[in-house]
Amino acid sequence: MSSNLESLARQVAESGRIEGLSDKHFIDGRFIARGNESLECYDPGTGKPFAQFAAGGKAEIEEAVEAAKVAFAKVWSKVVPAERGRILQKTAALIREKADYLTVVESLDSGKTLSEAKGDIANAARTFEYYAGAADKLQGDSFPISGDLLAYTVPEPMGVTAHIIPWNYPLAMLARGVAPALAAGCTIVAKPAEQTPMTALLMAGILQEAGLPDGVFNVVTGTGEEAGAPLAAHKDVAHITFTGSVETGGKVMQAAARNITQVTLELGGKSPAVVLADCDMENAINNVAGSIYKNAGQICSAGSRLVIERSIHDEFVDKLSRRAAQLRLGHGLRDPDVGPVNSQEQLGKVKGYLEDAKARGVETRAGGAVTADPETGLGWFVEPTIFDNLDSKDRLVQEEVFGPVLAVQVIDSLDEAIEVANDTEYGLVAGVFTKDSAKARRLAGALDAGQIFVNQWFSVGIEVPFGGNKKSGIGREKGMEGLRAYCKIKAVGERF
Ligand code: NAI
Ligand code: MG
């Protein structure tokens, strides 16, 4: 880690404050204040507020959508794809130039460790770079019909797109939707999560500096109900990209349905790591631990279930439990192994699951309680937890806890592994750990998930499509699939 980053992080950790943040909305190329109240932005590592931001509502959403609508019609849809690509390329370069500052802001706002925040910023830059290169490679097809009839398709930008962002990966999730939307020629109204609004506002400045015309990218901050709901219900929004809970995703889809607005929904999961007796145990332990304790378990694609063959269960879970107990918790800016959870509300939700498990006498192999930063006694922390020998019907197996909490299920055969792994309402990702490539391929085929990890977890880049089956969502982001989501295909049939 660069010494610049470390000294900035130390400075911010000591003072508890950071310069350069905005408490305004960004609409039509300007940071603007509106008369409404402010909301507090909290540092999850201490539980104390460190900044304020604007509580936007229907009026600001109206203004932002109007700006995006005008910018789409008059400016952005007329900018040639190669030029759109150049602006995105410049955006990637600026993110990299400002990476230390963005990293510290993201860590402070979300609670995530400095190393993870650094990874997120690099990921956001890479996302803009990828779609910069893709902007002028969006092509249509031509079709053989008959000698005097030419049929061809043209991918056209959808128009104004709404981006409702979650708090677990604030900048990375924003980039995942915004970069392809801009590449396709769409304009944007982004509504960051009320827990983590800061890097979206910083992105507004960066995109402007990169040369993005006014009105193409707008940010309205505020709560889901006050700002998110009117955005989802807006008749001039052509596409909504939403990442968050199933419950809210359903509300967004209902609002969209009234206007026949297209949606991409990414709604989390309860993803199984299927570990077979013939796996490379050390590799599997590393990956399973990483899959559930990274970002304190607040990851849509976390490996929150371990589905393991009985013959290695005891040894594996013993070793994994020791690993969990050794993880250092602390304020994200000190770059520990595991940071706090994102909000007091999320802490309460996870605590509810832990207390319920205790009351029911669930076998606890590691952790099992909420805690605080060992250095300060502050903040919203959860011990890395393992609950063992769970039945498929257990709520710890079925429900997304969204914390560092692993549910273990024991299986006796490959068929049972498939049945157990698929037995939830979710289907985002699934992992397979085995040295037998025939078994790996069979599982990859049989597991009902949008993305399968074999002998690794998370290690696929922006190039690869990502999204969920069943209640995990609708549509795919990332890769060229992610770009096509922001296009409507026009077919032309021409007789000559
Ligand atoms: P949420 O789904 O309510 O929030 C996500 C985003 O939606 C935020 O920007 C929020 O302001 C916005 N929103 C909320 N209500 C809205 C509405 N009616 N219309 C439009 N936008 C709205 O998630 P929340 O309450 O913050 O977290 C609850 C649970 O959701 C977590 O415990 C976790 O299980 C899950 N979650 C999953 C994520 C994922 O990556 N799939 C990310 C965040 C949360
Ligand atoms: Mg915050």
Side-chain angles (χ1 to χ4, degrees):
M1 201 162 291
S2 79
S3 58
N4 262 352
L5 174 57
E6 280 174 354
S7 76
L8 182 61
R10 211 171 311 119
Q11 216 178 300
V12 170
E14 277 160 19
S15 68
R17 48 183 58 254
I18 187 159
E19 302 301 315
L21 301 177
S22 173
D23 60 356
K24 301 184 168 65
H25 307 290
F26 185 80
I27 300 177
D28 206 11
R30 284 177 307 136
F31 285 97
I32 55 156
R34 286 290 176 259
N36 22 27
E37 54 169 318
S38 312
L39 297 169
E40 302 277 10
C41 210
Y42 290 89
D43 167 4
T46 60
K48 295 179 179 166
F50 70 93
Q52 295 195 318
F53 64 99
K58 196 162 189 286
E60 290 73 28
I61 291 294
E62 286 291 343
E63 207 177 328
V65 172
E66 184 58 26
K69 190 179 166 186
V70 172
F72 177 73
K74 298 208 166 139
V75 186
W76 195 237
S77 60
K78 299 198 171 116
V79 173
V80 296
E83 177 57 16
R84 299 202 293 257
R86 269 176 229 126
I87 292 172
L88 297 188
Q89 194 67 261
K90 182 84 199 290
T91 303
L94 287 169
I95 293 172
R96 288 185 176 127
E97 204 179 294
K98 299 172 201 289
D100 288 352
Y101 177 66
L102 289 166
T103 297
V104 170
V105 173
E106 194 76 320
S107 171
L108 184 65
D109 203 4
S110 68
K112 61 179 66 203
T113 67
L114 208 56
S115 298
E116 291 185 26
K118 191 179 173 207
D120 287 9
I121 305 312
N123 178 303
R126 172 69 191 126
T127 299
F128 276 94
E129 181 178 70
Y130 175 83
Y131 287 109
D136 58 359
K137 289 153 198 85
L138 252 181
Q139 298 161 348
D141 284 314
S142 65
F143 306 87
I145 309 285
S146 71
D148 62 351
L149 187 69
L150 173 65
Y152 60 93
T153 54
V154 186
E156 295 181 337
M158 291 292 300
V160 178
T161 61
H163 300 255
I164 301 176
I165 319 283
W167 41 260
N168 57 339
Y169 283 85
L171 186 60
M173 292 298 100
L174 179 124
R176 187 167 87 179
V178 165
L182 291 176
C186 296
T187 57
I188 315 274
V189 178
K191 207 298 282 173
E194 52 270 47
Q195 295 84 356
T196 53
M198 289 306 170
T199 45
L201 292 164
L202 293 172
M203 266 317 290
I206 288 174
L207 284 160
Q208 188 167 49
E209 194 179 337
L212 196 73
D214 291 352
V216 177
F217 178 78
N218 306 276
V219 181
V220 176
T221 58
T223 64
E225 265 173 34
E226 298 292 322
L231 179 58
H234 203 293
K235 66 175 177 23
D236 291 332
V237 169
H239 180 104
I240 304 169
T241 297
F242 171 84
T243 303
S245 62
V246 174
E247 192 191 344
T248 305
K251 286 186 197 163
V252 166
M253 197 172 167
Q254 273 179 330
R258 277 178 227 123
N259 300 311
I260 320 294
T261 299
Q262 181 173 293
V263 292
T264 299
L265 303 176
E266 204 267 83
L267 306 179
K270 195 72 194 186
S271 299
V274 179
V275 176
L276 301 182
D278 65 0
C279 70
D280 171 341
M281 195 177 287
E282 203 183 317
N283 176 58
I285 288 171
N286 287 338
N287 277 284
V288 169
S291 80
I292 186 62
Y293 299 133
K294 191 178 175 199
N295 209 30
Q298 305 161 111
I299 309 186
C300 50
S301 51
S304 50
R305 290 190 291 145
L306 169 63
V307 175
I308 187 159
E309 273 200 295
R310 191 175 303 279
S311 63
I312 58 162
H313 163 266
D314 291 352
E315 184 187 353
F316 193 97
V317 177
D318 277 349
K319 286 182 172 160
L320 188 65
S321 303
R322 255 177 273 140
R323 174 75 62 87
Q326 281 163 5
L327 293 170
R328 292 169 304 121
L329 270 59
H331 193 287
L333 288 174
R334 291 205 312 272
D335 205 26
D337 297 321
V338 182
V341 297
N342 178 265
S343 65
Q344 195 153 29
E345 199 184 355
Q346 190 58 26
L347 186 75
K349 181 184 163 187
V350 179
K351 190 177 176 197
Y353 280 100
L354 300 179
E355 286 177 351
D356 174 63
K358 195 171 178 189
R360 292 190 290 123
V362 172
E363 196 178 328
T364 308
R365 301 293 300 268
V370 300
T371 180
D373 181 346
E375 216 163 273
T376 62
L378 300 171
W380 302 318
F381 291 81
V382 179
E383 293 171 354
T385 295
I386 301 175
F387 292 125
D388 204 359
N389 281 308
L390 291 164
D391 183 82
S392 263
K393 291 191 180 56
D394 199 289
R395 62 188 296 233
L396 291 164
V397 167
Q398 294 297 331
E399 297 170 25
E400 185 178 50
V401 175
F402 225 58
V405 178
L406 180 69
V408 182
Q409 299 166 269
V410 184
I411 43 103
D412 288 298
S413 69
L414 213 57
D415 286 336
E416 193 187 358
I418 294 166
E419 193 185 314
V420 163
N422 286 339
D423 188 17
T424 74
E425 292 186 321
Y426 290 102
L428 188 57
V429 309
V432 178
F433 293 86
T434 173
K435 284 185 191 147
D436 183 333
S437 50
K439 283 183 184 169
R441 229 160 277 143
R442 174 157 173 235
L443 284 166
L447 293 173
D448 191 357
Q451 199 162 45
I452 310 287
F453 303 136
V454 179
N455 294 325
Q456 60 90 13
W457 199 279
F458 296 134
S459 295
V460 282
I462 184 65
E463 301 85 350
V464 187
F466 178 87
N469 297 349
K470 299 191 275 185
K471 280 196 178 164
S472 289
I474 294 179
R476 295 292 180 262
E477 299 186 86
K478 300 170 68 178
M480 292 303 279
E481 297 289 337
L483 186 57
R484 281 187 274 270
Y486 295 102
C487 299
K488 45 192 179 190
I489 297 295
K490 175 176 282 172
V492 181
E494 181 184 338
R495 178 143 353 249
F496 54 88

